[in-house]
């Protein structure tokens, strides 16, 4: 005789008991605060699931600990003795429903200063294992929908998964047009083998059904025709559950409706036509937003946005947005250890202004046409300042609920400015005044773009499973209207997997490749705007922002390289500087503080990250241990895996309402680098007369040495900036996970 009926009776009794205790007992005097809630002996399930299964909670800090210590932002929880007793039964029911029918739960409390500490001790016991699972019905249907169910042989007899498997079969039948199909579910536990079970599902399907007439309700300012054309089905189509879900997502994607619901009437027996009612609730058609922010690389930022979400009807979207950066850069730039230490052109205000238009339902509900124009001035500290104006047109097609592909064209007139002209030089195959003049001028870059994105992560801020895949390609040539012909590819794959209670293993790989097909003058290489830069809070964290990869050392020639009259530095003559024969290596070794490190970017990049994320203190504070590695190479011919730099580190995250606030410390393991040293040509100005560029030795007293604009490479020197362990530590402060 099966023990099934007694199992259900026990579960029903527990449920009735819990329902009867749902109303909290009247408080008898002042209740004690619950300061901590502990679980002992839990191995099979995440603690978050157990906390969600009971009523008793612990007092929580909703802000940051210093404020909570002062009583600000504290959510206090008090002890209800009746509910506490019922929580023990709730936990036993939780385990019982998930196959652990031998489990027992005990509860005790401990009085501590200012409150109580509650502890549940769980004896999980052995689970009831599923030995057989059978799906009965027409062979053709069983073969198509009977595999990969949430419950499988060998699993514990989880009644939640059991119901999920039944619902999965119902949904799969509905996807095939069997809108009225039912699935009968049954399980049995033999008396002589109480730790084994069998499960059977029986498919009951009648005729396949089709969509009938479609009625739209609630559309007033937005035309009903707009609602109809966003549906992925028409009257007469075979009923598919996925078509209903996609249509509902399309309606929400218009960003016009506060609520959208598609109701289907499948009960008109024996009629095989499904009536459809689409109910929408329109929201505000205009929106204005403004905000201020602070970050370490852009100082104070401000932005504003005006959006019309039904522009000229048809749910078309028009948006005007503006953004300003580097506000208050001069006073804030002197705050040590927080903001990027920049100067000159990198500290000037920057920002952008754009006008964007989107046309939904471009020949199909899954298609969107986007058109826009923009003005931009973007400052990348110590690298370059980009000024651009142009426009774009994109065609985007949704591929299901989690993927999309986009084809676009983006012509822009762009100009790069850099302090010292170093960004124009890549490998010094072309670094003369003519080449620099070409790159310094404004140029049209007009690439065709193709991108693909798929997001199957289960969370935006802190994913615990799934993956995110992105791939982007650009191609520009004279035929597209571009003055620089190039090809550029980049991709990113991030994966997440839970490996324990609250512990997540996350990994990412991000390769990139860029190639100059032709340029206005031979040897200029990849345009600076299309090079790759590595290092930073969302890259390889052992490096500061953009400091990984090709770099140059620059030095003030007139001040630091020329022979000193006092004899402190007996180095180079003006003539040797101008000819490039000056050897800077002794000065680099003796006075590295005189040299500035400047990134120049590269054509090939590889970054990868492996991170273990774990809880540290409650649900608000987490930790991470990571290993990042990668590098950027000047040219594809010079790529060597031996150049990959590994940077381990650790960090802390505070999960705030706006996302994880993250502090990471990375260790830079890179050894000595041999870097090109660059300075400027010099001239000597006598007391009266022009500044003359000498080509031979001059007596020291004959004039004052001055810098000229022309760059002069001086050869390479060993660069080893890390004297101590602490020098190798790089701190990053940011909001959001690294990936």
């Amino acid at each position: 005789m099966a023990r099934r009926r007694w199992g259900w009776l026990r579960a029903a009794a527990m449920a009735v008991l819990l329902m009867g205790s749902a109303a909290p007992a009247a408080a008898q005097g002042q209740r004690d605060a619950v300061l901590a809630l502990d679980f002992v002996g839990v191995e099979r399930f995440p603690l978050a699931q157990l906390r969600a299964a009971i009523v008793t909670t612990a007092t929580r800090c909703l802000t940051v600990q210093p404020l909570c210590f002062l009583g600000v932002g504290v959510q206090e929880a008090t002890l209800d003795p009746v509910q506490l007793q019922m929580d023990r039964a709730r936990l036993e029911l939780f385990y019982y429903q998930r196959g652990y029918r031998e489990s027992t739960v005990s509860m005790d409390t401990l009085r501590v200063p200012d409150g109580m500490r509650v502890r549940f001790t769980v004896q999980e016991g052995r689970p009831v294992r599923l030995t057989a699972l059978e799906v009965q019905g027409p062979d053709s249907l069983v073969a198509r929908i009977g595999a990969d169910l949430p419950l499988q042989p060998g699993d514990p007899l989880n009644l939640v998964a059991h119901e999920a498997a039944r619902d999965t079969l119902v949904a799969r039948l509905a996807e095939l047009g069997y809108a009225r199909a039912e699935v009968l579910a049954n399980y049995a536990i033999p008396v002589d083998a109480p730790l084994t079970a069998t499960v059977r599902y029986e498919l009951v399907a009648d005729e396949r059904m089709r969509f009938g007439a479609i009625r739209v309700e609630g559309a007033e300012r937005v035309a009903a025709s707009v609602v109809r054309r966003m549906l992925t089905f028409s009257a007469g189509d075979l009923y598919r559950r996925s078509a209903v879900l996609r249509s509902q997502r399309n309606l929400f994607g218009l960003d016009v409706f506060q609520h959208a619901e598609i109701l289907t009437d499948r009960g008109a027996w024996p009629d095989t036509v499904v009536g459809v009612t689409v109910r929408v609730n329109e929201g505000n058609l205009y929106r204005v937003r403004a905000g201020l922010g602070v970050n370490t690389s852009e100082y104070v930022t401000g932005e504003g946005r005006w959006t019309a979400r039904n522009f000229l009807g048809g749910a078309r979207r028009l948006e005007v947005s503006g953004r300003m950066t580097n506000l208050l850069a001069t006073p804030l730039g002197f705050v040590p250890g927080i903001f990027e230490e920049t100067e000159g052109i990198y500290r000037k205000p920057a920002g952008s202004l754009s006008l964007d238009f989107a046309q939904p339902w471009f020949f199909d509900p899954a298609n969107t046409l986007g058109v826009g124009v923009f003005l931009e001035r973007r400052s990348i500290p110590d690298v370059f300042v980009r000024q651009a104006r142009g426009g774009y047109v994109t065609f985007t097609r949704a591929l299901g609920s989690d993927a999309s592909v986009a084809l676009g064209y983006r012509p822009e007139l762009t100009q790069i400015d850099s302090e010292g002209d170093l960004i124009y030089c890549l490998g010094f195959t072309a670094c003369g005044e003519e080449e620099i003049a070409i790159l310094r001028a404004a140029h049209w870059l007009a690439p065709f773009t193709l991108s693909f994105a798929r997001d199957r992560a289960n969370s935006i801020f802190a994913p615990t499973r799934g993956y995110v895949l992105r791939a982007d390609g650009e191609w520009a040539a004279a035929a597209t209207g571009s003055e620089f012909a190039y090809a550029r590819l980049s991709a990113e794959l991030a994966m997440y997997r839970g490996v324990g209670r609250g512990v997540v293993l996350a990994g990412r790989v991000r390769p990139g490749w860029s190639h100059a097909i032709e340029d206005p003058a031979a040897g200029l290489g990849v345009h600076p705007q299309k090079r790759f830069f590595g290092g930073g809070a969302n890259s390889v964290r052992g490096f500061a922002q953009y400091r990984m990869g090709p770099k140059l050392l620059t030095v003030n020639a007139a001040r630091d390289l020329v022979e000193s009259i006092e004899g402190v530095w007996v180095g180079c003559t003006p003539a040797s500087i101008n000819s490039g024969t000056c050897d800077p290596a002794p000065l680099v070794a003796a006075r590295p503080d005189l040299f500035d490190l400047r990134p120049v970017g590269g054509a090939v990049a590889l970054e990868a990250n492996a991170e273990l994320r774990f809880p540290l203190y409650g649900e608000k504070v987490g930790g991470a241990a990571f290993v990042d590695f990668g590098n950027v190479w000047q040219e594809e011919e010079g790529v060597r895996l031996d150049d990959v730099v590994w940077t381990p580190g650790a960090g802390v995250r505070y999960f705030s309402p706006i996302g994880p606030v993250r502090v990471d410390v990375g260790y830079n393991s890179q050894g000595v680098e041999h870097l090109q040293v660059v300075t400027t040509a010099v001239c000597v100005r006598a007391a009266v007369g022009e500044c003359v560029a000498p080509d031979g030795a001059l007596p020291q007293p004959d004039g004052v040495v001055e810098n000229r604009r022309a760059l002069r490479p001086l050869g390479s020197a060993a660069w080893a900036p890390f004297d101590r362990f602490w020098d190798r530590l790089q701190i990053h402060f940011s909001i959001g996970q690294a990936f």
Side-chain angles (χ1 to χ4, degrees):
M1 177 180 177
R3 299 179 56 196
R4 182 181 61 223
R5 69 176 66 177
W6 303 114
W8 276 112
L9 285 175
R10 181 183 175 189
M14 289 184 179
V16 170
L17 181 62
L18 296 177
M19 291 174 62
S21 63
Q28 299 295 328
Q30 183 68 32
R31 290 180 177 176
D32 294 311
V34 179
L35 301 183
L37 183 62
D38 302 323
F39 295 88
V40 178
V42 177
E43 297 180 357
R44 304 294 183 181
F45 302 99
L47 294 181
Q49 290 188 17
L50 299 184
R51 293 192 183 100
I54 61 178
V55 173
T56 302
T57 60
T59 298
R60 296 191 301 165
C61 175
L62 300 180
T63 54
V64 293
Q65 196 57 46
L67 293 178
C68 291
F69 180 77
L70 299 175
V72 179
V74 176
Q75 185 181 69
E76 185 173 297
T78 58
L79 185 64
D80 185 333
V82 175
Q83 290 295 336
L84 187 61
Q85 291 294 336
M86 294 304 100
D87 282 340
R88 185 187 63 79
R90 291 184 179 100
L91 290 174
E92 287 189 346
L93 179 60
F94 175 91
Y95 273 91
Y96 181 89
Q97 291 177 331
R98 287 155 180 78
Y100 291 82
R101 304 195 171 197
E102 294 181 343
S103 65
T104 60
V105 179
S106 60
M107 175 273 301
D108 59 87
T109 58
L110 175 65
R111 184 169 294 280
V112 295
D114 300 326
M116 302 290 289
R117 190 180 193 101
V118 177
R119 180 174 63 186
F120 292 99
T121 301
V122 181
Q123 299 290 335
E124 294 182 326
R126 299 171 296 175
V128 178
R129 295 282 180 184
L130 186 63
T131 58
L133 185 148
E134 182 181 7
V135 180
Q136 297 180 344
D139 293 341
S140 59
L141 289 180
V142 172
R144 297 181 67 179
I145 69 172
D148 300 325
L149 296 175
L151 188 64
Q152 292 291 320
D155 294 344
L157 181 59
N158 188 328
L159 299 183
V160 178
H162 177 48
E163 287 300 314
R166 191 191 76 84
D167 293 342
T168 299
L169 291 171
V170 171
R172 291 175 180 176
L173 287 170
E175 185 64 17
L176 297 176
Y178 298 98
R180 283 196 293 253
E182 294 289 344
V183 176
L184 304 180
N186 196 3
Y187 74 90
I189 301 175
V191 174
D192 55 349
L195 294 179
T196 64
T198 59
V199 168
R200 183 179 65 189
Y201 301 102
E202 183 178 351
L203 310 181
V204 181
D206 53 6
E207 295 185 58
R208 302 171 83 180
M209 306 184 72
R210 296 185 177 275
F211 289 107
I214 301 172
R215 185 174 60 179
V216 178
E217 298 178 354
E220 297 177 359
R221 292 171 293 175
V222 179
S225 59
V226 174
V227 176
R228 293 178 183 276
R229 72 185 185 186
M230 295 307 294
L231 304 180
T232 61
F233 58 87
S234 303
D237 291 348
L238 185 68
Y239 176 86
R240 294 188 185 278
R241 182 172 177 268
S242 61
V244 176
L245 296 178
R246 284 199 306 271
S247 299
Q248 193 157 301
R249 284 194 296 267
N250 289 345
L251 292 174
F252 276 113
L254 292 177
D255 202 22
V256 175
F257 304 115
Q258 289 182 334
H259 178 74
E261 183 180 17
I262 300 178
L263 305 176
T264 57
D265 182 6
R266 294 169 284 177
W269 186 270
D271 197 350
T272 59
V273 175
V274 178
V276 178
T277 301
V278 182
R279 292 178 181 171
V280 295
N281 182 15
E282 297 175 348
N284 295 326
L285 299 185
Y286 297 94
R287 176 181 294 175
V288 178
R289 289 187 173 181
L292 287 173
V294 179
N295 63 61
T296 56
S297 61
E298 295 178 324
Y299 303 95
V300 176
T301 64
E303 63 178 286
R305 183 172 301 175
W306 174 86
T307 306
R309 294 186 282 186
N310 192 34
F311 181 69
L312 299 179
R316 299 176 181 90
R317 184 185 182 95
L318 181 69
E319 183 172 277
V320 180
S321 60
R323 187 170 186 265
M324 290 292 294
T325 64
N326 282 4
L327 302 176
L328 303 180
T330 299
L332 292 178
F334 293 101
V335 180
I338 298 179
F339 296 96
E340 295 276 356
E341 297 180 4
T342 60
E343 57 187 24
I345 62 174
Y346 306 113
R347 208 175 262 184
K348 294 181 179 180
S352 63
L353 179 65
S354 64
L355 177 70
D356 302 282
F357 171 80
Q359 169 67 63
W361 199 90
F362 190 66
F363 299 108
D364 188 272
N367 300 338
T368 302
L369 177 68
V371 180
V373 293
F374 61 89
L375 294 171
E376 182 181 66
R377 175 185 169 89
R378 183 185 179 195
S379 178
I380 301 179
D382 293 334
V383 183
F384 61 73
V385 174
R386 170 181 178 266
Q387 299 183 73
R389 58 185 182 271
Y392 71 88
V393 56
T394 59
F395 170 79
T396 304
R397 181 170 180 83
L399 306 176
S401 62
D402 56 13
S404 64
V405 62
L407 176 66
Y409 176 60
R410 186 183 176 92
E412 61 181 62
L413 184 62
T414 183
Q415 186 172 9
I416 300 294
D417 194 9
S418 176
E419 194 82 28
D421 293 338
L422 295 179
I423 188 64
Y424 305 119
C425 305
L426 182 61
F428 289 93
T429 57
C431 198
E433 293 185 34
E434 294 184 4
E435 291 86 353
I436 290 177
I438 292 174
L439 283 174
R440 191 186 296 123
H443 292 284
W444 280 99
L445 298 179
F448 279 109
T449 63
L450 180 65
S451 61
F452 171 82
R454 182 183 295 276
D455 188 343
R456 290 192 171 178
N458 65 336
S459 172
I460 297 177
F461 293 130
T464 59
R465 66 178 183 274
Y467 68 89
V468 178
L469 173 64
R470 299 185 181 93
D472 299 281
E474 295 183 27
W475 177 77
T480 68
S482 183
E483 296 182 60
F484 280 75
Y486 68 90
R488 192 176 194 268
L489 298 173
S490 61
E492 179 178 3
L493 174 62
M495 303 184 70
Y496 313 93
R497 181 178 181 182
V499 294
R501 291 178 297 179
V503 181
V504 177
L505 179 62
R508 179 180 66 174
V509 61
R510 186 163 59 178
W513 171 84
S514 185
H515 177 71
I517 301 174
E518 61 178 284
D519 49 50
L524 290 180
V526 179
H527 191 277
Q529 186 176 323
K530 299 303 175 181
R531 299 177 194 169
F532 293 98
F533 297 85
N538 297 91
S539 178
V540 178
R541 283 164 281 185
F543 291 86
Q545 192 78 9
Y546 306 124
R547 292 302 191 273
M548 183 181 73
K551 298 179 285 289
L552 300 174
L553 291 175
T554 182
V555 62
N556 188 313
R559 186 187 65 196
D560 300 321
L561 279 183
V562 178
E563 289 177 312
S564 171
I565 297 177
E566 292 83 7
V568 175
W569 159 247
V570 180
C572 301
T573 65
S576 66
I577 294 173
N578 290 343
S579 64
T581 59
C582 166
D583 181 11
L587 186 59
V588 172
R591 293 290 307 278
D593 58 295
L594 298 178
F595 293 80
D596 293 324
L597 199 65
R598 299 287 186 177
V600 295
V604 181
L606 175 64
E607 298 177 2
N609 316 81
E611 184 170 285
L612 189 68
R613 302 169 182 172
F614 48 85
L616 277 181
Y617 181 76
E619 298 179 357
K620 287 291 185 181
V621 182
F626 59 84
V627 176
D628 302 336
F629 58 94
N631 212 332
V632 179
W633 292 267
Q634 288 187 1
E635 310 240 347
E636 51 193 293
E637 294 81 7
V639 175
R640 295 171 57 246
L641 293 181
D642 292 344
D643 296 333
V644 169
V645 182
W646 296 75
T647 68
V652 176
R653 289 93 173 90
Y654 173 73
F655 295 95
S656 72
I658 60 173
V661 178
R662 175 165 56 96
V663 178
D664 286 330
V665 180
Y667 175 81
N668 192 331
S669 65
Q670 190 167 44
V672 176
E673 295 182 88
H674 293 276
L675 302 180
Q676 179 80 54
V677 179
V678 185
T679 189
T680 58
V682 296
C683 63
V684 179
R685 185 183 299 275
V688 177
E690 297 183 356
C691 193
V692 179
D695 55 6
L698 290 176
Q700 282 286 353
D702 281 0
V704 178
V705 179
E706 297 180 3
N707 291 321
R708 304 180 70 187
R709 187 173 178 86
L711 296 178
R712 288 291 182 268
L714 301 181
S716 63
W719 178 252
F722 307 126
D723 294 330
R724 301 169 301 171
F725 170 83
W726 303 108
D727 296 333
R728 294 181 175 271
L729 299 182
Q730 180 65 47
I731 300 176
H732 298 282
F733 176 82
S734 58
I735 296 178
Q737 297 284 11
F739 56 92

